[in-house]
């Protein structure tokens, strides 16, 4: 199908929880640039033919290379959602929990491959523009609204985690906590997050994503390294291999949330050197494999270490005298404080576009808008029961819509085959299953919020 009309240039910033946003710019694409649904990308490109395996695997990582693209895509998914995966095994049991993590990774990969196919067919490599051109302006505007809600939910999650990290963070540096979670969050927000959120230029904070990724990997290694000792210490606790209840729907949404990186598929695809579909499929599959391995390792070692004592934030299971984990918590808290302004920037920018259709606003409006967004997110975070509620609610609502429902709808809409063809029926079935799980999870999360 041919996309008619030129595509206006747009700028979009997206960030999963506890990771800094990826920022990219999409240049205008004319209809003549529309790619056919099939290309001759079955062979090896020149670089792969001339460079030996060792050089391709261990050589310097160039911008837009396959390895660099794998790192970029995987780093946008590897965030604080990983800290709740041992809790998934606690609720569902060891065997179903591992299965959920693996299946969620496979479903995430399928959704990314659908987006790559849609990008090839239309030549559009921007999510909001793709939705607007294929499904209409109203659906494109609704897509932007969902992304705004998701970014706002991520900021709430940052505050919830900060409230859980503050006592350990202060003890690690030898300071005394205020012994009040709400007061700790308000003081830290007023001294750090809010002043940084007032900045209009976020370039000075762009390296916080690297720090966040290093902290996530470090915490994962600490959980694995201390696993044998913790397993021996809690050997008297039973290991639940299978435990199915309504709570399972909520933890399934947590696994969906952990793999959220689909909007960034377009930026990675547009920056990929020699952007053949085969190379992009290699990026998505290897990035998903990295995510599955990291998630499975922390989930298994974290659950076996504490079993029925597993908290929704695995770092809370470690004592305040565990300096190895305290270092990771300290780095994570710093990353979260930096991530709040990094997400406030696109949130505020998209709201200005939706309401005023411009970024040229007064200083007073800029300050008032930032204060209202930060204050409202902080207030909601204070009253939320725990981080697992935020992960489950975002995973069952926004993530299902952005990462699974919409890719399936776009693919079926662009497919030259009828909707009842085997391939399209398979996509529709997958979308329906994910949507049902998301609706049940969202309802249970909202029930828990109002009950508390």
């Amino acid at each position: 199908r041919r996309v008619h009309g030129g595509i206006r240039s747009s700028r979009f910033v997206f960030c999963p929880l506890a990771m800094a946003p990826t920022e990219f710019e999409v240049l205008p694409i004319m209809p003549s640039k529309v790619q056919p649904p099939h290309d001759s990308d079955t062979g090896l490109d020149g670089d792969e033919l001339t460079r030996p395996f060792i050089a391709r695997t261990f050589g310097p990582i160039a911008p837009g290379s396959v390895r660099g693209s794998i790192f970029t895509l995987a780093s946008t998914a590897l965030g604080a959602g990983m800290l709740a995966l041992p809790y998934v095994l606690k609720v569902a049991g060891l065997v179903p929990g591992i299965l959920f993590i693996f299946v969620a990774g496979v479903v995430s990969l399928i959704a990314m491959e659908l987006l790559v196919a849609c990008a090839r067919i239309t030549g559009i490599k921007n999510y909001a523009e793709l939705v607007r051109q294929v499904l209409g302006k109203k659906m494109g505007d609704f897509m932007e609204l969902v992304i705004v809600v998701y970014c706002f939910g991520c900021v709430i999650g940052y505050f919830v985690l900060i409230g859980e990290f503050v006592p350990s963070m202060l003890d690690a540096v030898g300071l005394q906590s205020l012994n009040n979670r709400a007061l700790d969050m308000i003081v830290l927000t007023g001294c750090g997050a809010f002043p940084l959120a007032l900045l209009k230029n976020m370039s000075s904070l762009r390296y916080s994503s690297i720090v966040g990724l290093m902290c996530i990997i470090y915490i994962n290694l600490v959980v694995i390294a201390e696993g044998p000792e913790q397993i021996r210490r809690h050997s008297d606790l039973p290991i639940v291999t299978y435990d199915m209840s309504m709570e399972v729907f909520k933890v399934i949404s947590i696994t969906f949330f952990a793999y959220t990186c689909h909007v960034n598929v377009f930026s990675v695809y547009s920056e990929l050197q020699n952007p053949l579909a085969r190379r992009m499929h290699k990026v998505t599959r290897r990035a998903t494999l990295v995510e599955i391995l990291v998630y499975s390792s922390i989930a298994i070692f974290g659950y076996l270490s504490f079993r029925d004592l597993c908290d929704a934030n695995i770092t809370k299971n470690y004592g305040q005298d565990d300096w190895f984990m305290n270092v990771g918590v300290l780095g994570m808290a710093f990353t979260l404080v930096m991530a709040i302004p990094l997400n406030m920037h696109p949130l505020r920018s998209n709201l200005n576009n939706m309401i005023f259709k411009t970024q040229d606003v007064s200083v007073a409006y800029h300050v008032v808008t930032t204060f209202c967004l930060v204050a409202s997110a902080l207030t909601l975070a204070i009253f939320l029961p725990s981080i697992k509620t935020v992960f489950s609610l975002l995973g069952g609502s926004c993530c299902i819509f952005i990462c699974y429902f919409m890719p399936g709808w776009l693919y079926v809409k662009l497919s030259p085959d009828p909707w009842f063809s085997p391939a399209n029926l398979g996509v529709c079935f997958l979308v329906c299953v994910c949507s049902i799980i998301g609706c049940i999870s969202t309802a249970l999360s909202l029930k828990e919020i109002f009950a508390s």
Side-chain angles (χ1 to χ4, degrees):
R1 299 191 181 186
R2 186 179 180 88
V3 179
H4 297 281
I7 309 302
R8 65 177 177 84
S9 63
S10 61
R11 197 171 189 178
F12 176 76
V13 186
F14 177 78
C15 175
L17 193 60
M19 299 300 296
T22 300
E23 185 173 330
F24 56 92
E25 185 172 356
V26 179
L27 299 177
I29 302 176
M30 301 305 295
S32 60
K33 298 290 185 179
V34 175
Q35 300 177 6
H38 303 286
D39 52 26
S40 56
D41 58 356
T42 56
L44 294 174
D45 57 84
D47 181 68
E48 292 180 340
L49 285 172
T50 57
R51 296 180 65 198
F53 173 79
I54 297 297
R56 296 199 312 267
T57 306
F58 301 103
I61 299 179
S65 64
V66 170
R67 285 182 298 150
S69 301
I70 293 171
F71 173 81
T72 300
L73 191 60
S75 65
T76 58
L78 295 172
M82 181 186 76
L83 303 178
L85 293 179
Y87 179 80
V88 173
L89 274 62
K90 170 190 173 181
V91 173
L94 181 63
V95 176
I98 296 174
L99 183 63
F100 291 156
I101 293 174
F102 177 77
V103 172
V106 173
V107 174
S108 172
L109 174 61
I110 293 173
M112 286 191 288
E113 304 253 318
L114 295 179
L115 291 177
V116 172
C118 293
R120 291 175 57 205
I121 293 172
T122 62
I124 303 173
K125 295 180 181 178
N126 175 273
Y127 207 163
E129 287 297 342
L130 178 63
V131 173
R132 185 174 287 106
Q133 291 297 319
V134 177
L135 302 178
K137 182 180 183 300
K138 291 184 178 180
M139 185 54 64
D141 294 339
F142 181 73
M143 180 71 174
E144 289 185 347
L145 177 62
V146 173
I147 292 173
V148 166
V149 173
Y150 178 80
C151 290
F152 185 71
C154 287
V155 174
I156 296 174
Y158 299 156
F159 281 124
V160 174
L161 279 173
I162 287 174
E164 296 180 353
F165 284 150
V166 162
S168 299
M169 180 185 68
L170 294 178
D171 290 338
V173 296
L175 299 177
Q176 182 65 35
S177 173
L178 297 175
N179 295 321
N180 186 299
R181 174 176 175 267
L183 191 57
D184 285 337
M185 295 167 65
I186 292 173
V187 170
L188 193 59
T189 301
C191 296
F194 177 68
L196 291 174
L198 291 173
L199 296 175
K200 290 187 175 182
N201 186 359
M202 297 289 104
S203 60
S204 59
L205 305 177
R206 63 187 180 275
Y207 295 109
S208 63
S209 60
I210 300 176
V211 177
L213 180 60
M214 293 173 60
C215 292
I216 286 292
I217 295 175
Y218 175 81
I219 291 175
N220 191 23
L221 293 176
V222 171
V223 172
I224 295 174
E226 297 189 4
E229 175 61 24
Q230 297 292 348
I231 292 173
R232 183 192 62 79
R233 187 177 302 175
H234 299 95
S235 59
D236 57 323
L237 296 177
I239 297 176
V240 179
T241 57
Y242 181 87
D243 184 13
M244 303 297 286
S245 64
M246 289 299 291
E247 291 292 311
V248 167
F249 289 98
K250 294 171 64 176
V251 297
I252 292 177
S253 294
I254 292 176
T255 61
F256 283 147
F257 174 81
Y259 287 98
T260 301
C261 62
H262 296 65
V263 175
N264 299 82
V265 167
F266 295 89
S267 64
V268 172
Y269 195 7
S270 63
E271 295 172 2
L272 183 65
Q273 294 178 1
N274 193 12
L276 301 175
R278 177 186 54 78
R279 287 170 60 84
M280 189 59 199
H281 290 318
K282 184 187 296 185
V283 170
T284 56
R285 291 166 187 173
R286 293 183 181 180
T288 303
L289 178 61
V290 171
E291 294 161 15
I292 290 176
L293 292 176
V294 172
Y295 291 159
S296 300
S297 62
I298 191 172
I300 294 173
F301 279 92
Y303 171 68
L304 293 179
S305 296
F306 301 100
R307 304 179 189 187
D308 195 49
L309 301 177
C310 267
D311 193 86
N313 177 2
I314 188 62
T315 62
K316 294 176 66 177
N317 286 108
Y318 293 84
Q320 294 183 355
D321 58 343
D322 190 333
W323 277 96
F324 291 104
M325 184 57 72
N326 284 341
V327 172
V329 170
L330 185 62
M332 201 68 187
F334 170 80
T335 304
L336 291 172
V337 173
M338 295 298 105
I340 290 173
L342 284 169
N343 276 262
M344 276 296 170
H345 184 266
L347 177 58
R348 189 174 51 222
S349 176
N350 287 333
L351 284 177
N352 290 338
N353 285 334
M354 294 172 60
I355 298 174
F356 301 104
K357 309 299 182 183
T358 181
Q359 295 296 322
D360 188 15
V361 295
S362 64
V363 175
Y365 174 82
H366 173 81
V367 174
V368 171
T369 302
T370 303
F371 176 80
C372 291
L373 290 173
V374 172
S376 56
L378 178 60
T379 303
L380 291 172
I382 290 173
F383 290 101
L384 281 175
S386 69
I387 191 60
K388 65 179 173 53
T389 306
V390 181
F391 288 159
S392 180
L393 186 58
L394 288 176
S397 56
C398 298
C399 291
I400 291 291
F401 182 83
I402 296 172
C403 304
Y404 304 100
F405 178 82
M406 193 57 68
W409 189 3
L410 290 170
Y411 179 81
V412 173
K413 185 77 173 178
L414 290 170
S415 174
D417 301 322
W419 69 269
F420 51 82
S421 64
N424 288 340
L425 280 179
V427 172
C428 292
F429 175 77
L430 188 64
V431 168
C432 290
V433 171
C434 292
S435 300
I436 292 173
I437 294 174
C439 290
I440 297 175
S441 172
T442 301
L444 293 174
S445 299
L446 291 175
K447 179 182 177 182
E448 180 182 356
I449 291 174
F450 290 122
S452 62

